[in-house]
Amino acid sequence: MRVLVVNAGSSSLRLRLLGPDDTVERTADIGPHDIAATLADWPAPDAVGHRVVHGGTQFTEPVVVDARVRAALADLTELAPLHQPKSLAGLDTVSALLDVPAVACFDTAFHTTIPAAAATYAIPREWRERYAIRRYGFHGLSHAYCSARVGELLGRSDARVITCHLGAGASVAAVVGGRSVDTTMGFTPLEGLVMATRSGSVDPGLVLWLAERMPVDELTKALEERSGLLGLAGTADLREADAAAVEVYIHRLVQGIASMAASAGGLDALAFTGGVGENSATVRARAAERLGFLGVAVSSPLNAAGAEEITGASSVRVFVVPAREDLEIARGTRSALAMLGGT
């Protein structure tokens, strides 16, 4: 089955066509208005897999999109107002162009296995129930692929794996036996690590204090778009950030990894993925140095070369895994259609 993978971002859209054996036949990073012109020259797919950021509590697996599902996805927009509309726009545009099944694959779905103790905020019960407030977690498609790949490299399915998705957005997940048991992002993608322009976790009292001194929309925009590395160093590019900003970034990353190791009950493997995770030997080395107490060490030559395994003299194996959300989406698309007898 040939699968067209549609990954809608905040300002661009990535299309990738995967053949039946998952070879990449076509790929393009385009603007949302260039979809029709791009697809006009591509081979026709048998199905389309869409990355959808939020699946709420009802979508825990990839699902074939029909009118009912489409309406339910729209209802979730208030939980992800920055991301869900982009996903839905991509879904609608491609569905209007191609008369093939569409499958929604969710970033939140992988984390629905997180136990209640890790998913629950200590806030009034009526808030949690009325507004479906819980720690959802994000980047699930990336964490799912990365942890599965590490399991293959380890040759075991019961490993305790910490996956670090480090890009413009960043999160760490604890995966035990292929199931997510905790992650650093929560109700929104703002919680957790320092990111390119997002603040990561801040004292909620600080947010309340600031909300008394500025409009809420201004505060929201600042935390989403003018914080993180940009707020610390005046640049969202880690390679250009000053030493003090990088130190804050590393501190939060190490803190996140250590907390995920505690949630996993130990650590067998640590994996780095995403643009920063794959390309910054410095981030990997500095994180490993701080995590020596957990048995983590990297080989300097292997780390500098960006090898797939960069384990040093350590009890924990360390890997660099290229991010392939497209493969995870294609897998989910084929699985959802197979359950309906579509293959």
Side-chain angles (χ1 to χ4, degrees), residues 112-250:
T112 56
T113 55
I114 290 175
T120 304
Y121 288 109
I123 59 176
R125 179 189 297 272
E126 59 267 28
W127 294 2
R128 299 197 305 269
E129 294 178 349
R130 182 186 306 168
Y131 303 115
I133 297 175
R134 54 161 285 155
R135 300 186 67 249
Y136 287 101
F138 298 89
H139 294 142
L141 294 164
S142 179
H143 288 299
Y145 173 80
C146 184
S147 58
R149 177 59 183 154
V150 170
E152 292 173 356
L153 294 169
L154 293 173
R156 53 186 291 195
S157 60
D158 62 341
R160 299 164 298 181
V161 180
I162 306 303
T163 52
C164 306
H165 176 97
L166 307 178
S171 65
V172 178
V175 184
V176 179
R179 293 166 61 87
S180 176
V181 297
D182 205 352
T183 188
T184 53
M185 282 183 171
F187 181 70
T188 75
L190 261 180
E191 187 176 357
L193 309 182
V194 170
M195 301 172 232
T197 66
R198 286 178 243 167
S199 63
S201 294
V202 296
D203 183 347
L206 169 61
V207 177
L208 294 174
W209 187 86
L210 289 170
E212 294 176 348
R213 289 160 174 80
M214 66 180 69
V216 172
D217 58 347
E218 179 182 336
L219 175 57
T220 300
K221 190 175 181 68
L223 293 174
E224 288 276 2
E225 301 177 12
R226 297 196 292 109
S227 297
L229 285 170
L230 182 61
L232 290 168
T235 175
D237 191 332
L238 186 67
R239 296 167 297 184
E240 301 172 359
D242 58 58
V246 174
E247 187 62 29
V248 175
Y249 183 95
I250 296 294

Side-chain angles (χ1 to χ4, degrees), residues 10-304:
S10 58
S11 60
S12 65
L13 184 143
R14 169 168 291 181
L15 300 177
R16 179 164 286 174
L17 187 65
L18 299 178
D21 57 354
D22 282 336
T23 56
V24 178
E25 296 185 355
R26 299 283 195 285
T27 189
D29 292 313
I30 60 176
H33 301 295
D34 300 324
I35 297 175
T38 302
L39 293 180
D41 296 327
W42 286 20
D46 301 300
V48 182
H50 293 267
R51 176 192 175 216
V52 178
V53 168
H54 219 302
T57 57
Q58 62 266 56
F59 295 115
T60 61
E61 297 286 346
V63 60
V64 177
V65 178
D66 56 19
R68 179 191 62 81
V69 170
R70 173 61 178 79
L73 296 179
D75 289 342
L76 292 170
T77 296
E78 67 175 359
L79 293 179
L82 296 178
H83 298 88
Q84 204 80 345
K86 306 293 186 182
S87 299
L88 295 178
L91 170 65
D92 292 342
T93 299
V94 175
S95 294
L97 294 168
L98 300 174
D99 187 21
V100 296
V103 174
C105 300
F106 303 95
D107 263 329
T108 52
F110 184 62
H111 300 301
T112 56
T113 55
I114 290 175
T120 304
Y121 288 109
I123 59 176
R125 179 189 297 272
E126 59 267 28
W127 294 2
R128 299 197 305 269
E129 294 178 349
R130 182 186 306 168
Y131 303 115
I133 297 175
R134 54 161 285 155
R135 300 186 67 249
Y136 287 101
F138 298 89
H139 294 142
L141 294 164
S142 179
H143 288 299
Y145 173 80
C146 184
S147 58
R149 177 59 183 154
V150 170
E152 292 173 356
L153 294 169
L154 293 173
R156 53 186 291 195
S157 60
D158 62 341
R160 299 164 298 181
V161 180
I162 306 303
T163 52
C164 306
H165 176 97
L166 307 178
S171 65
V172 178
V175 184
V176 179
R179 293 166 61 87
S180 176
V181 297
D182 205 352
T183 188
T184 53
M185 282 183 171
F187 181 70
T188 75
L190 261 180
E191 187 176 357
L193 309 182
V194 170
M195 301 172 232
T197 66
R198 286 178 243 167
S199 63
S201 294
V202 296
D203 183 347
L206 169 61
V207 177
L208 294 174
W209 187 86
L210 289 170
E212 294 176 348
R213 289 160 174 80
M214 66 180 69
V216 172
D217 58 347
E218 179 182 336
L219 175 57
T220 300
K221 190 175 181 68
L223 293 174
E224 288 276 2
E225 301 177 12
R226 297 196 292 109
S227 297
L229 285 170
L230 182 61
L232 290 168
T235 175
D237 191 332
L238 186 67
R239 296 167 297 184
E240 301 172 359
D242 58 58
V246 174
E247 187 62 29
V248 175
Y249 183 95
I250 296 294
H251 176 82
R252 291 289 189 87
L253 172 59
V254 169
Q255 188 180 57
I257 293 170
S259 69
M260 291 301 106
S263 294
L267 180 59
D268 297 310
L270 175 66
F272 294 91
T273 190
V276 174
E278 295 169 41
N279 296 305
S280 178
T282 299
V283 167
R284 297 191 298 261
R286 292 192 60 186
E289 182 180 6
R290 296 273 300 275
L291 292 165
F293 73 99
L294 287 177
V296 176
V298 298
S299 160
S300 294
L302 293 175
N303 184 42

